[in-house]
């Protein structure tokens, strides 16, 4: 019996090649969309699930009074918590970012990425597989290091690396172990160095320089732990600072606020944790839960659209098999057997669709990985089980309705040649078409709005101009003398033909805005970003002054007690006449906090991307506090003979700045463009999905138009016999689809507006949603509908009248 069913399926496959192709292609597109979403979903939810301590490991974050959240802590806070809270079993200090630096071994000099600096407890929190060397107390000794399996192979080939000495940051480190990274993990380091703690920070409660992990005992009440950690801050910071200020604790908290402790569980921190204001929780970053939901939701929509399309195509072609069903019923086939046969045929189509979908995914996976910055692959027992589930679900959803529909053909009507069906069920097919129009409208509107937001971001006036400005990494081992070295090298670089100017600032356009220090003025507490800069920085970057003057070497006080503020900070402090105002800063030189005079107000400019508001900023000269926090040098070059200028800069850099490091640069504009790189990719994703949805919607519209018009062939023949003109017939046949299009569009615009308004809320600088995308979407849908329907209708009006009337 199954063999006969298979032969019948092959026969109809050959008879309806186009419909069969559309069936398989439509389903394969929908299934491939779901597979892509599943791969992403599985990967994001797999982070740190391998870690045996994931349930009782927490990252400590701090929420400041101005709303900023820091993923950094001070050493005395962590040590005091460990000493006074019995529920805390262990703590670990670490850098929440990766370093990219030079590592030397004998004659090898390699710039390595993904370097982590931590303390001796790192491998208690991230117990990677140790394949060589010490299994415990790996980083207990000072200047010890563990190396990943990949880096061990790169540096040492077949040699045993254990006990070997490497140079990092001007210091010698001894390799104690080789580990194999278990992925995905929130930290996936190439090297793990012991040495995160800086001298002088042991008793400094105000130096928030360290990421902090705690591991609690298994039976610990985390709410109680959080309360006790909050009390550590209260006793050691709030109470002491209030006493020093001559205030009561209540007065101090009211005026200055209070740091709130947040504990993020490792198990859920990737997707559901509290994101720090700097975006640095763990070196591998945080997951994009909104994008994950968007990908999952859109893929489900596309699969549903594919299923609707399949059902429409199946019912549209069913009329051609009406006689077959009638004959089978006459010879004794039961309704159950007919249903089973058609579900069997659906299973074959779904199998083919899944094979095609896997081929589509395999071919597209490199581009998908590039979009997500991942290395997803088609493997894993979990994935195969999900694939089996999709197979079963698609068969049930796609196969049952067409099978029941076909099995319900009335035998006598079918055998008499009347293939038309009653009106029952027609509303279902029409509803499906309206649903397809709604989804298509949603995607077209979404693509237009996302495209408009990205264009707005790319064309917005940022308040600075990075044209022809190079950002060059400034790697010098002597951090203490960095400013003095730079000032000497600056004068030499300015002598190079083609170099217009040289300057620095402590930050990076598009990623970082320097450190942050709080202070109070006239009872208002603020936490501005500290921007150390060289003279000429604002002028080079075309950043304008709103009031007053820029810092200048003509004024001796500008390297001692002068500062600038941006407009945002002036507004927060409610300063009516800020120039010449004296501010007591949050900085000290070992005694009282330093006083500064505001000599100018800088116009607001975007530094960290358009997703973020412009933060309050203070600007001081490099020599004022001598923090030496800058990591790049900005060089403005002439566009003439650029290649020659870059070559000369490279030669000077490698000879005089640091011969061990390569000359590594990029244009500032290009670096800032990375801040909206993800949105550009989302725009491209929407564009691709938009094409997919339109293609599937075209399939569905073609199917229903074919089905509907083929049911009316006899009516059309009679109308033509009575003298109906072609244009009248075209209008009659197409008007219902225009109505369906309008209804579907009306349904689609509501979720489109709500969800896209929600998406835009992520941007501090964003467009407003106008009526233009909706009008364009409606016109596009109407044109598409008319092209397809009128083409099919015109084909139908050319039928041979005698063929459909000769038996009447």
């Amino acid at each position: 019996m199954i063999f006969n069913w298979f032969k019948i399926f092959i026969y109809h496959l050959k008879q309806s090649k186009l419909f069969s192709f559309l069936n398989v292609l439509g389903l394969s597109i929908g299934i491939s969309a779901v597979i892509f979403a599943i791969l992403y979903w599985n990967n994001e939810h797999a982070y740190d699930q391998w870690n045996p301590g994931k349930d009782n490991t927490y990252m400590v974050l701090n929420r400041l009074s101005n709303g900023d959240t820091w993923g950094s802590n001070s050493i005395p806070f962590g040590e005091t918590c460990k000493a006074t809270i019995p529920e805390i079993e262990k703590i670990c200090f670490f850098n929440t970012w990766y370093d990219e630096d030079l590592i030397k071994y004998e004659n090898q000099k390699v710039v390595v990425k993904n370097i982590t600096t931590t303390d001796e407890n790192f491998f208690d929190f991230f117990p990677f597989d140790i394949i060589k060397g010490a299994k415990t107390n790996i980083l207990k000794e000072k200047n010890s290091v563990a190396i990943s399996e990949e880096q061990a192979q790169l540096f040492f080939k077949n040699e045993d690396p254990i006990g070997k000495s490497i140079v990092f940051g001007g210091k010698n480190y001894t390799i104690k172990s080789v580990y194999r990274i278990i992925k995905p993990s929130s930290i996936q380091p190439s090297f793990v160095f012991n040495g995160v703690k800086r001298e002088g920070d042991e008793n400094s409660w105000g130096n928030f320089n360290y990421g902090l992990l705690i591991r609690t005992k298994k039976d610990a009440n985390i709410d109680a732990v959080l309360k006790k950690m909050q009390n550590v801050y209260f006793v050691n910071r709030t109470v002491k600072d209030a006493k020093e200020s001559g205030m009561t604790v209540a007065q101090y908290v009211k005026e200055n606020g209070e740091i709130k402790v947040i504990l993020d569980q490792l198990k859920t921190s990737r997707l559901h944790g509290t994101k720090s204001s700097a975006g640095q929780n763990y070196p591998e970053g945080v997951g994009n839960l909104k994008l994950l939901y968007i990908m999952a939701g859109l893929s489900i929509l596309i699969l549903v659209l594919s299923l609707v399309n399949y059902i429409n195509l199946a019912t549209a072609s069913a009329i051609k098999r009406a006689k077959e069903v009638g004959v089978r019923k006459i010879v004794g086939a039961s309704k159950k057997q007919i249903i089973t046969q058609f579900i069997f045929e659906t299973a074959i189509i779904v199998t083919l669709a899944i094979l095609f979908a896997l081929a589509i995914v395999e071919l597209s996976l490199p581009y998908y990985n590039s979009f997500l910055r991942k290395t997803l692959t088609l493997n894993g027992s979990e994935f195969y089980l999900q694939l089996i589930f999709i197979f079963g679900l698609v068969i049930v959803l796609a196969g049952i309705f067409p099978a029941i529909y076909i099995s319900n053909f009335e035998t006598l009507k079918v055998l008499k040649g009347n293939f038309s069906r009653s009106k029952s069920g027609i509303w279902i097919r029409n509803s499906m078409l309206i649903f397809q129009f709604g989804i298509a409208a949603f995607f077209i509107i979404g693509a237009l709005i996302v495209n408009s937001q990205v264009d707005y971001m790319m064309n917005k006036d940022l308040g600075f101009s990075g044209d022809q400005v190079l950002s060059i990494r400034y790697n010098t081992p002597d951090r203490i003398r960095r400013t003095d070295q730079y000032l000497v090298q600056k004068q030499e670089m300015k002598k190079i033909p083609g170099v217009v100017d040289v300057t620095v600032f402590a930050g990076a356009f598009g990623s970082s805005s320097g450190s942050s220090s709080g202070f109070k003025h006239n009872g208002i507490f603020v936490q501005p970003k500290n921007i150390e800069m060289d003279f000429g920085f604002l002028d080079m970057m075309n950043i304008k002054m709103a009031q007053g003057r820029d810092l200048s070497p003509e004024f001796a006080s500008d390297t001692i007690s002068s500062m600038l503020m941006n407009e945002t900070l002036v507004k927060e402090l409610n300063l009516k006449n800020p120039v010449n105002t004296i501010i007591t800063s949050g900085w000290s030189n070992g005694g009282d906090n330093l006083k500064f005079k505001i000599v100018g107000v800088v116009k607001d400019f975007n530094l960290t991307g358009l997703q973020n508001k412009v933060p309050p900023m203070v600007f001081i000269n490099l020599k004022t506090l001598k923090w030496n926090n800058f990591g790049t040098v900005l060089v403005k070059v002439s566009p003439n003979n650029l290649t020659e200028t870059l070559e000369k800069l490279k030669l000077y850099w490698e000879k005089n700045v640091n011969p061990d490091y390569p000359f590594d640069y990029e244009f500032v504009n290009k670096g800032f463009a990375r801040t909206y790189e993800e949105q550009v990719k989302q725009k491209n994703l929407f564009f691709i999905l938009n094409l997919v949805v339109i293609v599937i919607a075209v399939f569905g519209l073609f199917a229903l138009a074919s089905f509907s018009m083929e049911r009316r062939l006899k009516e059309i023949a009679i109308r033509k016999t009575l003298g109906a003109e072609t244009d009248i017939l075209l209008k009659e046949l197409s008007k219902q689809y225009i109505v369906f299009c309008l209804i579907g569009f009306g349904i689609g615009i509501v979720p489109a507006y709500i969800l896209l308004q929600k998406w835009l809320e992520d941007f501090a600088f964003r467009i407003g949603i106008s009526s233009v995308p909706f009008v364009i979407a409606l016109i596009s849908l109407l044109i598409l509908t008319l092209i397809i329907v009128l083409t099919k209708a015109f084909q139908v009006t050319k039928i041979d009248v005698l063929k459909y009337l000769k038996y009447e």
Side-chain angles (χ1 to χ4, degrees), residues 169-240:
K171 297 179 181 179
N172 289 306
Y173 289 84
T174 303
I175 297 174
K176 296 296 183 180
S177 299
V178 177
Y179 58 87
R180 179 178 293 129
I181 299 172
I182 305 175
K183 297 181 181 180
S185 173
S186 291
I187 303 179
Q188 298 173 182
S190 300
F191 287 83
V192 182
F193 288 92
N194 179 6
V196 69
K197 298 177 183 177
R198 301 177 189 172
E199 292 183 9
D201 279 355
E202 294 85 354
N203 299 308
S204 181
W205 284 83
N207 281 358
F208 286 71
N209 295 322
Y210 307 92
L212 174 62
L213 295 171
I214 65 167
R215 190 172 73 194
T216 62
K217 295 177 181 178
K218 289 187 177 180
D219 58 347
N221 183 326
I222 196 61
D223 292 329
V225 173
L226 179 61
K227 188 175 180 180
K228 291 178 181 180
M229 293 181 75
Q230 189 69 58
N231 189 60
V232 169
Y233 263 132
F234 181 76
V235 171
N236 293 277
R237 289 294 304 273
T238 306
V239 173
K240 288 184 178 179

Side-chain angles (χ1 to χ4, degrees), residues 13-59:
L13 193 68
K14 293 178 179 178
Q15 293 297 311
S16 304
K17 295 184 179 69
L18 178 60
F19 273 80
S20 301
F21 173 74
L22 295 180
N23 271 331
V24 174
L25 181 61
L27 277 179
S28 63
I29 291 173
I31 293 170
S32 61
V34 172
I35 290 174
F36 278 128
I38 285 174
L39 292 175
Y40 182 33
W41 183 278
N42 289 348
N43 179 265
E44 286 295 308
H45 282 86
Y47 269 82
D48 302 307
Q49 300 311 302
W50 60 270
N51 196 319
K54 62 182 181 293
D55 292 313
N56 57 325
T57 297
Y58 297 86
M59 184 175 185

Side-chain angles (χ1 to χ4, degrees), residues 14 27 37 94 146 152 171 202 216 244 276 287 311 321 324 564 600 609 612 635 650 675 688 754 778 804-805:
K14 293 178 179 178
L27 277 179
F94 72 107
K171 297 179 181 179
E202 294 85 354
T216 62
E244 290 175 2
S276 72
I311 292 170
R321 302 184 64 176
E324 173 196 333
L564 308 176
N612 307 315
V635 180
K650 181 175 184 291
T675 64
I688 293 169
I754 294 172
L778 178 58
Y804 292 93
L805 297 181

